[in-house]
Amino acid sequence: MKDFYSTLGVSEKASEAEMKKAYRKLAKKYHPDANPGDKQAESKFKEISEAYDVLSDKKKRAQYEQMRRFGGGYGGARPGAAYGGRGVNSDDLSSIFGQSGGFGSFADIFSSIFGDSPGRSGAGFGQRRGPVRGDDLYSDIEIPFATAAKGGKVNARIMTTEQCPICHGSSTKPGASQTVCPDCGGRGMVSFTQGDFAVSRPCPRCLGKGRITGDPCDNCRGSGNVSNRHEISVKIPSGMESGKKIRLKGLGNPGTKGGPPGDLYLRVDVKDHPFFWRKGLNIYCRVPLTLNQAADGTKIRVRTMSGKKVDLKIPPCTAPGKKFKLKGLGLISHSKKGDQIVEIDLKIPKEMTDEEKELYDKITQTAGA
C-alpha cells in the first residue's frame, strides 16, 4: 500500500495546515515547469499530488486510514484466500467499509491505492486484460479574486500525457517486431506481496503492454506516450474558494489497450485582493475615516464587487471597527445573496493636537456608552 504520509514527509497526525505546507514545498520543487524534460521529477510531482489529494480530503483520508488498518489487522487475509470459509472479493470489502463518496466503489479505492482493482470471487489481482482507464492528473491553478467571486473563465497551462503520434502507443519504431514480455508472460502485470496483500502492478519491463521490442520508438523513448504542454480555458463557477477542485473530464493520462483517458483535477488557489476579502457569501472591505469624519459624521462612496460605487452614510461618533451592511451586494450562489460588510478604519495621528484628542475622547466615550 502506498504510504501517502511518507510521500509528503509528514506524520500520520499532521494537521491540514501542515500537509498543505509540505505539499506546496514539494510541488514547487518537483513541478514540471521547474524541471522541463525531467521524467523523474514529473513522476514525483504526480505522486505528491495524488498523496495530497487523498490526505487533504477528510472522507478520502478516513477511507485511506481504514484501508491501512485493514491491511495490518487481518493477518494473512488476502483477496481470494479463505476468510470465514469463502473467498474475499471487492463486494465483501465494500460491505465492511460501505460505499465511498469520493472514490466510487470499493474497487476504485483499491485501484487508487494499489494501482489495480482487486479480483472478484477469489480471482487474484492483476489479471485484467481488457481496456484500462488512464490515471487522473492533478495540478494547481491560481485565479483572481474577482473571478473566484463572480465566476468567469481563466487560461491555464497544463502538462498532459498523450499517445505518441509516431508509434501510436506501441512503444516501438514503425515496422519493428515485438515479442512477448518474459517478465509478465504477456499479461502486462506482475504480482508481489505488500504487507498482508498480494498486489499486482504494471510490469516495469513492458510498462503494462505485455510485449517488448529491442527497437524502441525514438520519439517517446519506448514509453508509448509523450508529454505536451497545453493552454486551456477553464470555466470558474461563482463562489469558488481556495482548496476546491475543478474536474476536467478526459484530460488525464491516456488509457491502455483502448481504455478511456483519466480526468484532470485542478486545485484552486484564489489570489488575495488589495481591498476585498470574503467569508462565505459575504464580501468584506475596510474604509479609512479621519477623526473629524468619525466625530461629525459624513457620507462616503464605497466600491463594490460590481465595480460601481454606492453612498454610505456614516453617523456622528462612529467608533473604529464599526461595521455597516450593504445588503445584497455580496456573492450570489443558488439564488442566495450575501452582503457587503464595510468596516471602519479610524486613522489616528501618532501625535494628536488638543482638538484631535478631544474628538477622539468624544468618539470612544460615545461608543462605550
Side-chain angles (χ1 to χ4, degrees):
M1 180 183 293
K2 297 178 183 178
D3 190 341
F4 292 145
Y5 294 105
S6 294
T7 299
L8 292 181
V10 298
S11 72
E12 296 180 11
K13 296 182 180 179
S15 65
E16 291 183 17
E18 290 172 332
M19 287 190 293
K20 185 175 183 179
K21 182 178 180 181
Y23 165 72
R24 287 195 168 186
K25 181 179 179 181
L26 292 171
K28 184 177 181 181
K29 179 179 179 181
Y30 292 104
H31 197 282
D33 287 345
N35 304 273
D38 189 334
K39 295 292 184 181
Q40 290 186 339
E42 183 180 340
S43 177
K44 183 69 174 177
F45 180 74
K46 291 177 181 178
E47 292 177 8
I48 294 164
S49 298
E50 179 188 15
Y52 184 66
D53 181 67
V54 172
L55 297 182
S56 63
D57 186 294
K58 291 182 179 179
K59 285 186 178 180
K60 292 182 181 179
R61 186 176 183 181
Q63 291 163 350
Y64 174 66
E65 291 294 348
Q66 286 179 317
M67 286 295 304
R68 283 162 63 91
R69 285 194 292 271
F70 181 81
Y74 291 81
R78 307 169 186 269
Y83 182 78
R86 59 191 176 90
V88 180
N89 58 41
S90 60
D91 292 332
D92 299 324
L93 298 176
S94 291
S95 68
I96 297 172
F97 295 131
Q99 296 297 317
S100 67
F103 281 106
S105 68
F106 185 82
D108 295 330
I109 303 176
F110 252 82
S111 179
S112 85
I113 294 175
F114 293 112
D116 197 9
S117 293
R120 304 184 67 85
S121 302
F125 284 131
Q127 304 304 315
R128 202 192 296 177
R129 301 185 183 216
V132 180
R133 181 182 180 274
D135 291 334
D136 292 333
L137 293 179
Y138 302 87
S139 189
D140 295 326
I141 181 173
E142 192 175 53
I143 62 176
F145 182 90
T147 304
K150 297 185 294 183
K153 290 185 177 181
V154 297
N155 291 330
R157 295 180 67 200
I158 63 169
M159 184 74 77
T160 62
T161 302
E162 301 170 356
Q163 189 180 81
C164 176
I166 303 299
C167 68
H168 303 290
S170 69
S171 306
T172 67
K173 284 184 178 180
S177 61
Q178 294 183 331
T179 58
V180 173
C181 175
D183 288 4
C184 66
R187 293 189 301 274
M189 306 293 290
V190 290
S191 299
F192 62 94
T193 301
Q194 175 103 15
D196 291 331
F197 289 96
V199 183
S200 285
R201 300 287 285 173
C203 176
R205 183 165 183 177
C206 66
L207 301 178
K209 299 180 184 300
R211 304 183 73 82
I212 60 174
T213 178
D215 203 4
C217 173
D218 293 330
N219 189 54
C220 64
R221 298 180 182 179
S223 69
N225 298 316
V226 292
S227 295
N228 286 317
R229 192 181 305 277
H230 296 280
E231 184 166 294
I232 60 174
S233 178
V234 182
K235 185 177 180 181
I236 308 296
S238 61
M240 180 59 66
E241 297 179 83
S242 288
K244 289 191 174 182
K245 301 181 186 70
I246 297 174
R247 176 191 177 198
L248 300 178
K249 191 173 182 180
L251 290 185
N253 279 341
T256 58
K257 300 181 181 178
D263 300 329
L264 171 64
Y265 289 87
L266 296 177
R267 188 178 293 109
V268 173
D269 186 15
V270 180
K271 294 180 182 178
D272 291 332
H273 193 280
F275 184 65
F276 297 111
W277 71 95
R278 59 178 288 198
K279 295 180 182 177
L281 295 180
N282 291 336
I283 292 291
Y284 288 74
C285 66
R286 190 174 288 116
V287 176
L289 289 185
T290 65
L291 282 171
N292 285 324
Q293 288 176 317
D296 300 336
T298 186
K299 182 183 287 186
I300 60 175
R301 304 208 76 194
V302 181
R303 187 169 29 149
T304 65
M305 282 297 301
S306 67
K308 296 181 180 179
K309 293 185 177 181
V310 298
D311 292 331
L312 176 62
K313 185 176 181 181
I314 305 297
C317 296
T318 294
K322 174 72 175 178
K323 294 182 176 65
F324 296 89
K325 182 188 293 184
L326 299 177
K327 193 168 181 62
L329 294 184
L331 304 184
I332 302 175
S333 179
H334 303 295
S335 74
K336 292 183 179 179
K337 284 187 177 182
D339 304 317
Q340 180 168 332
I341 310 299
V342 181
E343 182 179 325
I344 298 302
D345 182 18
L346 189 59
K347 296 300 181 182
I348 304 173
K350 292 183 178 178
E351 296 183 5
M352 292 189 287
T353 64
D354 290 340
E355 181 182 356
E356 288 171 333
K357 288 180 181 178
E358 184 177 342
L359 287 174
Y360 182 74
D361 290 339
K362 179 182 176 181
I363 292 170
T364 53
Q365 287 173 7
T366 303

